[in-house]
Amino acid sequence: MGCRTANLLLAEFGSPRAIVEAGVKELSAHVSKAQASALCAPDSPAFSALLAATLDWLKRPGHHLITRHDQRYPALLAQIPDPPLMLYAIGEPGLLAQPCLAIVGSRNASAQGRANAEAFAQALSDGGLTIVSGLAAGIDASAHIGALRGGASTIAVVGTGLDRVYPARHRELAQCIARQGCMLSEYALGTGPIANNFPRRNRIISGLAAGVLVVEAAAESGSLITAGLANDQGREVFAVPGSIHSALSKGCHKLIRDGALLVETANDVLQAMHMSPLAAVAPAMPNDGACDQLLGRIGFDPVCFDALASHTGAPAASLASQLLLLELAGQLERLPGNIIQRIVR
């Protein structure tokens, strides 16, 4: 049975134990007779083996199984029409309670699209948002990489069991996320890359987040499915525009025509998220020595971004993140031409 039916049974009977202890006649009032008989049947050898493997998996450090009645179950995810019954997790499950933003896009992304996703993710992570994506090639992977470099980390929602990594070339990235963020799946151990599972897991990506940012997407991209789910779930939808001649911009332009917020900078997203009732994101305060030192480097005269990058020797992505924090704190403003001006109060 699917999540909707199982959740209806949980609502009716109160607990999994009460469901499996009910008789076929009682269960048949809510599900088909075949389903009721299956629920009352003895465990199969395959299920017993899976249960033993799962219990063994849970003994390992950093491995978690989060049920609907667990206090760690994400509150926003519980509100969607068919929330998963259980979440398998590796890493830090506390990230599930943090303000989240999903970043999705094309698997066959352009170099510029991947760079944009990485830069947006790092700046938004530094701004206090945990970045959620799906570990896929292209935009997803770049979003995870950028978020890991930021301050709030990342959650990867995968379409396989957590004992598998798909695509296999992302094994090292998955291990980094497990150490510094959180790997998440609703699928049992041993579940391989089944095509239908990937669109289905998209509801979890959007369900965890207060908003979804689409960085690059073709007209028929699966990212539009995630954006549509986010819209149905009452989440904010953001899209990065691109060239009218690029096929990888068609999906984003369609979203913008349909009401998504056009964004050009991470600050555009952060300002919208600070006002979102679903994301309690307080403006990040630049209280570390690096930001204080950067203010001194800026001085009191307007300076262009390129000149500042050359003067400080800082990588462009890192410099952009620090400038964003200072801007959100009201300590500087951006002028036309990518000019930085310090604000003296």
Side-chain angles (χ1 to χ4, degrees):
M1 66 182 65
C3 283
R4 288 176 188 259
T5 303
N7 279 308
L8 286 173
L9 285 178
L10 280 174
E12 182 67 28
F13 290 92
S15 72
R17 179 180 295 277
I19 293 172
V20 298
E21 289 180 349
V24 172
K25 182 177 181 181
E26 191 175 0
L27 289 170
S28 295
H30 308 283
V31 297
S32 71
K33 189 171 182 179
Q35 288 173 319
S37 297
L39 283 168
C40 294
D43 293 343
S44 68
F47 178 81
S48 296
L50 175 59
L51 178 58
T54 303
L55 292 173
D56 183 61
W57 181 85
L58 284 169
K59 294 175 183 177
R60 303 176 196 174
H63 288 198
H64 310 272
L65 184 60
I66 303 169
T67 69
R68 287 292 311 278
H69 295 286
D70 194 312
Q71 291 184 346
R72 299 172 298 175
Y73 196 94
L76 279 183
L77 186 62
Q79 297 173 12
I80 71 173
D82 52 348
L85 295 175
M86 300 184 295
L87 294 168
Y88 299 80
I90 303 177
E92 179 46 68
L95 290 174
L96 300 173
Q98 299 303 310
C100 296
L101 177 85
I103 297 182
V104 297
S106 175
R107 284 177 168 80
N108 301 308
S110 67
Q112 184 62 64
R114 294 193 300 273
N116 288 344
E118 191 170 328
F120 266 90
Q122 181 172 348
L124 292 166
S125 179
D126 278 333
L129 291 169
T130 296
I131 303 303
V132 183
S133 200
L135 199 69
I139 297 299
D140 285 20
S142 296
H144 290 307
I145 291 168
L148 287 170
R149 292 175 180 160
S153 198
T154 189
I155 299 169
V157 184
V158 301
T160 65
L162 287 185
D163 55 340
R164 308 286 184 93
V165 175
Y166 182 84
R169 65 181 180 273
H170 287 170
R171 185 172 302 280
E172 185 176 350
L173 176 58
Q175 291 170 348
C176 288
I177 295 171
R179 288 193 302 267
Q180 302 177 45
C182 184
M183 294 287 297
L184 200 69
S185 178
E186 69 173 319
Y187 297 111
L189 301 180
T191 303
I194 301 169
N196 289 341
N197 287 351
F198 291 92
R200 181 159 177 75
R201 64 87 194 265
N202 290 348
R203 82 192 194 286
I204 302 177
I205 294 176
S206 58
L208 285 170
V212 172
L213 170 63
V214 183
V215 174
E216 196 172 63
E220 303 300 325
S221 171
S223 303
L224 303 188
I225 297 175
T226 309
L229 290 166
N231 190 59
D232 292 342
Q233 293 165 356
R235 276 45 168 173
E236 304 284 349
V237 179
F238 309 95
V240 178
S243 169
I244 61 172
H245 304 293
S246 171
L248 289 173
S249 298
K250 300 297 184 185
C252 289
H253 293 170
K254 180 181 185 302
L255 290 174
I256 293 168
R257 286 196 302 271
D258 292 343
L261 181 64
L262 184 155
V263 295
E264 297 175 310
T265 68
N267 193 31
D268 294 335
V269 179
L270 283 171
Q271 288 179 342
M273 294 293 280
H274 290 155
M275 301 182 66
S276 169
L278 298 181
V281 186
M285 297 302 293
N287 54 8
D288 58 40
C291 286
D292 292 339
Q293 186 178 25
L294 179 58
L295 277 176
R297 294 286 187 92
I298 292 172
F300 297 96
D301 294 323
V303 59
C304 73
F305 180 89
D306 290 342
L308 186 60
S310 177
H311 179 54
T312 61
S318 175
L319 179 61
S321 297
Q322 290 181 335
L323 290 173
L324 176 61
L325 293 177
L326 290 167
E327 185 178 359
L328 289 171
Q331 297 192 42
L332 60 80
E333 63 178 331
R334 292 180 188 266
L335 304 177
N338 208 11
I339 301 297
I340 311 301
Q341 171 69 67
R342 185 173 176 177
I343 298 175
V344 180
R345 300 188 184 280

